[in-house]
Amino acid sequence: MTLHLKPGDAEDGLADYAQPPALRATVKKYSDFVAYPIRLGTETLNSMKAIWTRPKDEVTEEEYREFYKHVSRDWNDPLEHLSIHVEGGLEARALLYIPSKAPFDLWHDGARSGVQLYVRRVFIMDDCKELLPPWLRFVRGVVACDDLSLNVSREILQQNRQIQAIRRHLVRRLLGALKEMKDERPENYRTFWKEFGPVLKEGLLGMDDGQERILELVLAPSSHGTVVPTSLGEYAARMKEGQPGIYYMTGPSVAAVEQSPHLEAVRAKGYEVLFFTDPLDELWLRLPRELDGKPLVSAAKGDVTAGTEDEKKQAEEERREQEEGFKDLLLVLRAKLQDQVKDVRLSSRLTSSAACLVGEEGDLSARVTEMFRRAGQEVPVAKRVLELNPTHPLLPKLQAIVERDRSDPALAEYAELLYGQAILAEGGQLPTRPRSASASRTCSCASCDGRPAAGRCGSASLP
């Protein structure tokens, strides 16, 4: 057989395959693990050490670590490794690794992902994305299947039932291995979660199978302890009797969420709250979620009233009485804030703060809306509900102004003040508005001393 070679061309990236360095590199990449020696003169170019074919007890930990660095090009040792043997309608073997450090390009478009595919020990492709979903793109290693053709293409792989069967088996085993790490080696798992938790949570956005198994792996800081994150299962084990669900809050940081007025009623009942601060959390938590029959409940949306039926009935009666007492005030505030909020109502979630903003179930949060806008997507602004604390001393004072004179210009100012305080309390930014004429109204209290009242003493100087 006569083989004709094109001359090398460094500018076009065409190697000179008549030169020993190019031959060594080619054999090392594509045929390093074939079972017979490939020689250049007296030099053997391939290692022939396909460790995924060897029994586990014949491979040392050092060999596993060396092989990981060979296939991943990572200088760090792996966190865990997993040997998998797929049997049934097809046969395949896999040696997969969970890295200890996230690569710098983990979130970059076009970043290297997936695992290497070998057929009959011959290297086929470096990042076979068909073998693992994107939310497991941090996994490194090799998958070897002798039932595939050596000239298999990526288009064929996308339609190949054998590849899909291997993929389901690998995902199932990887999720099982992560669950075992979480239960038996929690320190290792917390290291993994710190590096790859946000990537794993991408699996909660699509329609992939096993989402409940992913949910079992989620960790988050909570009001029980913000230093060491807790799992949803650990939270469920600590739930109080009669607690309706797993409460959570989303926000830009743990510090911001901890100060949220939305947590007041939940904390008053002694319920633990999970804190989710990744931008991705805002998206996957919009879908109905439950773990072992316990729903995840946002403390910032809907109604957080909990307790027995008698307690709920009593709370509803008290709220009706309070709404009757503040009926005129609510009507005035609704009129003043009709462009900013969907409704103004009394709150069952506030115990000390004067006001908070609440989204309805299914509404996009302010944070998600801002994320879409930064991505160049126009989304409609969802008005939220302004909830007022009926036990706060501010409300009777406002009610007195309404009873004295509904047209008092101070009411518009105090409506804006309540709305602004609710925005600031959740870590938001106040909208830019032109200064109204009423903003120059002065106050004679000691803290204001004749200066404009708004923003200084606020509600404390109300009549």
Side-chain angles (χ1 to χ4, degrees), residues 178-228:
L178 290 173
K179 178 70 162 55
E180 178 188 348
M181 190 199 308
K182 181 176 72 71
D183 295 340
E184 299 181 8
R185 298 177 296 282
E187 286 295 330
N188 279 10
Y189 188 76
R190 283 194 287 270
T191 298
F192 160 80
W193 187 258
K194 180 181 178 181
E195 298 291 329
F196 303 108
V199 182
L200 188 67
K201 286 187 286 190
E202 289 180 9
L204 296 168
L205 292 175
M207 302 301 293
D208 294 48
D209 293 335
Q211 291 205 7
E212 186 165 341
R213 300 187 70 186
I214 301 175
L215 204 59
E216 293 176 346
L217 299 172
V218 171
L219 297 185
S222 80
S223 55
H224 185 76
T226 58
V227 177
V228 178

Side-chain angles (χ1 to χ4, degrees), residues 443-453 455-462:
C443 178
S444 59
C445 77
S447 61
C448 290
D449 192 25
R451 294 170 294 178
R456 290 183 172 80
C457 67
S459 60
S461 65
L462 284 169

Side-chain angles (χ1 to χ4, degrees), residues 344-395:
V344 179
R345 67 190 182 202
L346 298 183
S347 178
S348 61
R349 73 186 75 234
L350 297 175
T351 59
S352 58
S353 299
C356 70
L357 286 167
V358 179
E360 301 290 2
E361 294 293 342
D363 285 351
L364 290 178
S365 69
R367 194 178 180 198
V368 172
T369 301
E370 183 61 26
M371 286 166 54
F372 281 127
R373 285 180 176 172
R374 289 180 180 178
Q377 301 182 33
E378 288 297 327
V379 292
V381 177
K383 291 183 180 180
R384 292 185 290 168
V385 175
L386 179 66
E387 288 195 353
L388 305 178
N389 181 0
T391 64
H392 196 279
L394 169 63
L395 262 64

Side-chain angles (χ1 to χ4, degrees), residues 50-170:
I51 68 173
W52 63 82
T53 64
R54 294 160 55 188
K56 295 179 184 179
D57 55 1
E58 294 183 6
V59 184
T60 66
E61 288 298 318
E62 181 61 30
E63 287 179 306
Y64 278 127
R65 288 194 292 268
E66 288 181 0
F67 186 75
Y68 166 74
K69 293 176 181 179
H70 172 74
V71 298
S72 68
R73 300 188 277 278
D74 183 4
W75 292 104
N76 300 295
D77 289 335
L79 191 63
E80 301 268 348
H81 68 265
L82 180 64
S83 296
I84 300 173
H85 188 194
V86 182
E87 297 178 291
L90 75 161
E91 185 169 353
R93 290 182 179 274
L95 178 56
L96 304 180
Y97 293 89
I98 298 172
S100 57
K101 291 287 184 182
F104 72 93
D105 60 351
L106 183 64
W107 298 98
H108 294 180
D109 290 338
R112 177 175 171 266
S113 62
V115 296
Q116 296 180 356
L117 175 63
Y118 284 79
V119 175
R120 301 169 203 170
R121 299 194 183 192
V122 175
F123 174 79
I124 301 300
M125 61 183 65
D126 194 39
D127 56 345
C128 188
K129 296 179 174 62
E130 290 73 21
L131 286 169
L132 288 176
W135 47 274
L136 287 174
R137 63 182 177 274
F138 53 85
V139 175
R140 296 289 181 261
V142 300
V143 174
C145 180
D146 293 345
D147 296 333
L148 296 173
S149 170
L150 280 171
N151 64 350
V152 66
S153 66
R154 191 172 292 277
E155 290 73 20
I156 294 174
L157 287 176
Q158 290 173 351
Q159 306 298 326
N160 191 286
R161 292 184 179 180
Q162 293 175 318
I163 290 293
Q164 297 305 314
I166 294 173
R167 175 187 172 116
R168 288 192 294 270
H169 191 89
L170 296 182

Side-chain angles (χ1 to χ4, degrees), residues 78 155 209 243 273 287 370 396 418 435:
E155 290 73 20
D209 293 335
Q243 184 173 335
V273 182
L287 304 174
E370 183 61 26
L418 283 170
R435 188 174 179 85

Side-chain angles (χ1 to χ4, degrees), residues 357 366 370 374 384 419-420 422-432:
L357 286 167
E370 183 61 26
R374 289 180 180 178
R384 292 185 290 168
Y419 178 63
I423 293 176
L424 294 175
E426 62 183 14
Q429 293 185 344
L430 294 175
T432 303

